């Protein structure tokens, strides 16, 4: 009985000591462009609402570097309606959906095509 208790205390001590390291195991998940951030697999997707457009930034989770993108689509759901807009590269590494104004209550889905033309990343957002 004494051995089991000792092992339990040891295991609890290990978990307690490792908890801070585990919380920093992956890269920075902060918004770098003032948007809403989602972690998707090995990538970080950031959705930024502009005055007359929506921008999507995609970066590597570990290194924080932008990932190459070739396009995609942005789907907005609100009050039972669905609107789809193309995401096109803007020259700065981001994707832009022109003419899209995001407002609170909308649900947004982004589907991104990476630069290789094959790989895809998708994320869902709720606009607060």
């Amino acid at each position: 009985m004494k051995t089991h208790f000792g092992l339990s205390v040891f295991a609890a001590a290990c978990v307690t000591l490792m908890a801070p390291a585990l919380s920093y195991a992956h890269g920075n998940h902060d918004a770098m462009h003032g948007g809403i951030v989602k972690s998707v697999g090995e990538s970080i997707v950031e959705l930024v609402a502009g005055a007359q457009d929506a921008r999507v930034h995609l970066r590597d989770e570990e290194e924080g570097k932008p990932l190459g993108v070739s396009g995609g689509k942005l789907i907005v759901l609100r009050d039972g309606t669905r609107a789809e807009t193309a995401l096109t590269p803007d020259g700065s590494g981001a994707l832009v959906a022109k003419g899209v104004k995001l407002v609170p209550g909308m649900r947004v889905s982004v589907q991104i095509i990476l630069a290789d033309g094959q790989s895809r990343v998708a994320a869902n957002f709720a606009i607060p």
Side-chain angles (χ1 to χ4, degrees):
M1 191 66 123
K2 210 175 209 183
T3 305
H4 292 296
F5 177 74
L7 287 175
S8 298
V9 170
F10 177 72
C14 288
V15 169
T16 302
L17 291 173
M18 291 177 57
L22 292 173
S23 67
Y24 293 105
H26 294 284
N28 182 359
H29 291 197
D30 294 336
M32 299 182 83
H33 304 280
I36 305 168
V37 175
K38 290 283 180 157
S39 176
V40 180
E42 301 286 322
S43 305
I44 303 294
V45 182
E46 183 174 358
L47 175 65
V48 182
Q52 295 299 319
D53 62 12
R55 294 185 181 277
V56 177
H57 300 269
L58 182 67
R59 67 181 190 264
D60 176 77
E61 183 180 44
E62 290 293 323
E63 298 176 15
K65 295 180 181 177
L67 295 173
V69 293
S70 65
K73 61 184 170 181
L74 182 135
I75 302 164
V76 176
L77 303 169
R78 184 172 189 203
D79 299 329
T81 61
R82 181 181 193 270
E84 188 174 308
T85 305
L87 284 168
T88 57
D90 71 351
S92 73
L95 294 168
V96 63
K98 295 180 181 176
V100 173
K101 182 166 176 67
L102 301 178
V103 297
M106 286 182 167
R107 300 192 64 74
V108 179
S109 176
V110 294
Q111 298 173 5
I112 304 164
I113 302 169
L114 300 183
D116 67 6
Q118 302 279 329
S119 303
R120 298 173 190 275
V121 174
N124 297 312
F125 300 88
I127 307 301

